[in-house]
Amino acid sequence: MLTPSRELPLYSKRILVTAPRNYACRLSEQIIKQGGLPVLMPTIEICYLSNYTNLDAALNRIAEFDWIVFTSRNGITAFFHRMNDLNIPVSLVQKCQLCALGKDAESLLYFCGKVDLIPTESSPGGIVAELAKMPQIQNQKVLIPAPEVVGLPEPDVVPNLITDLQQLGIEVTRVPTYITQGLDTSIYSVELNQMRQGTIDVIAFSSTAEVESFLTMVNSQSDYERCIIACFGPYTTANARKLGVDVSIVSRDYSSFEGFAEAIAEFFTLTSNSD
């Protein structure tokens, strides 16, 4: 951190961060380490549920599940907070096999001191690939704590995961654990104007939901055509391209935001070397 900023690969680059608050701070820290200037514009926010009926029902029969598969840190946090509210002992969850992606495993260890599976590929596809290798996985009961998506089209990530697991003969229960919702575009007039004026160098998307919500905030592609688009891993990239967004930077290491910031930095290092 004591290296002069002008010697760092993202010096003077303004990176628009669309991740929700709890993720934006972590990604921004990594951008700053590379010399960049994060501009925060969360396009979605993560909230606690307004109705806990389904989650409470699942938690009260937690002993019935063989596996609990977490697809996000938000799901882990909301799940264990609700368990605490209901005074359900962590020891009940520890009897299940627990799966988390990448750095999310640290959060799972914090809450219950146990992680049984961290897929080599930090993605829903990685979860499926690892479970497919296991003997007697057929007819196992898997609980997936998932977001309830409000005001946006639901990304296909969780539905595809459920379908793929069911094709392995697994009995899957999806339970809403937290809310993902869009934010009102009216609060971002300054950031949107910066983007249109060409003073934003990169827009960094870390999830499909962020892309979906962002596209409701802009009038047309011309609003962001002067920005380079970066996506956190191949799944967000594929979905962004389906939505008509031209992606130039894809992080190969998508187990942490450090890898995302490094991919953005590498892009500019290669660009400056080729000039």
Side-chain angles (χ1 to χ4, degrees):
M1 292 300 285
L2 298 183
T3 303
S5 59
R6 65 174 56 253
E7 294 178 16
L8 297 172
L10 293 182
Y11 173 66
S12 82
K13 302 299 181 189
R14 285 178 168 78
I15 319 292
L16 191 74
V17 175
T18 63
R21 293 191 311 267
N22 52 335
Y23 288 150
C25 57
R26 289 171 33 227
L27 177 52
S28 296
E29 180 183 1
Q30 296 302 326
I31 289 169
I32 290 166
K33 284 182 180 178
Q34 298 287 348
L37 303 167
V39 176
L40 302 190
M41 193 181 105
T43 58
I44 60 171
E45 65 178 353
I46 308 301
C47 313
Y48 286 114
L49 294 170
S50 54
N51 184 332
Y52 284 97
T53 304
N54 292 331
L55 178 56
D56 289 356
L59 290 173
N60 283 314
R61 59 186 185 94
I62 203 73
E64 295 178 16
F65 296 100
D66 301 293
W67 282 86
I68 306 174
V69 171
F70 294 98
T71 60
S72 74
R73 190 174 297 222
N74 293 314
I76 295 169
T77 301
F79 184 90
F80 283 98
H81 280 188
R82 189 58 181 171
M83 277 190 58
N84 184 61
D85 290 344
L86 298 176
N87 292 316
I88 296 172
V90 170
S91 58
L92 285 180
V93 175
Q94 291 170 334
K95 293 177 182 176
C96 304
Q97 301 279 91
L98 305 178
C99 173
L101 295 172
K103 293 284 188 181
D104 295 353
E106 295 173 0
S107 185
L108 194 48
L109 283 170
Y110 170 79
F111 282 109
C112 76
K114 179 188 178 199
V115 182
D116 298 287
L117 175 62
I118 307 170
T120 306
E121 180 187 314
S122 186
S123 71
I127 294 171
V128 176
E130 299 282 353
L131 291 181
K133 298 175 189 173
M134 296 185 178
Q136 289 90 45
I137 196 65
Q138 284 190 346
N139 301 318
Q140 294 268 294
K141 293 183 178 180
V142 172
L143 179 67
I144 299 181
E148 177 184 332
V149 182
V150 176
L152 296 169
E154 182 181 16
D156 62 8
V157 178
V158 173
N160 285 352
L161 171 61
I162 291 170
T163 300
D164 291 344
L165 292 177
Q166 288 172 335
Q167 288 175 348
L168 295 177
I170 293 170
E171 185 181 325
V172 181
T173 300
R174 171 183 176 158
V175 63
T177 307
Y178 61 97
I179 290 173
T180 296
Q181 62 187 16
L183 284 164
D184 187 346
T185 185
S186 65
I187 65 175
Y188 289 133
S189 57
V190 172
E191 292 81 5
L192 289 168
N193 281 334
Q194 282 182 299
M195 189 175 63
R196 291 176 185 125
Q197 291 161 8
T199 58
I200 298 292
D201 298 284
V202 177
I203 303 172
F205 293 116
S206 63
S207 74
T208 301
E210 293 166 32
V211 183
E212 296 265 19
S213 187
F214 172 82
L215 292 175
T216 69
M217 296 180 171
V218 295
N219 298 319
S220 70
Q221 198 167 0
S222 61
D223 283 353
Y224 60 92
E225 64 184 358
R226 296 160 76 179
C227 306
I228 294 161
I229 306 298
C231 283
F232 189 39
Y235 291 87
T236 302
T237 301
N239 285 326
R241 286 173 174 158
K242 279 185 201 171
L243 293 165
V245 177
D246 183 15
V247 181
S248 300
I249 302 170
V250 182
S251 58
R252 290 186 298 276
D253 174 6
Y254 44 98
S255 62
S256 71
F257 282 141
E258 182 179 5
F260 194 16
E262 286 174 354
I264 298 170
E266 182 183 351
F267 175 86
F268 284 102
T269 300
L270 292 173
T271 303
S272 63
N273 288 343
S274 63
D275 289 345

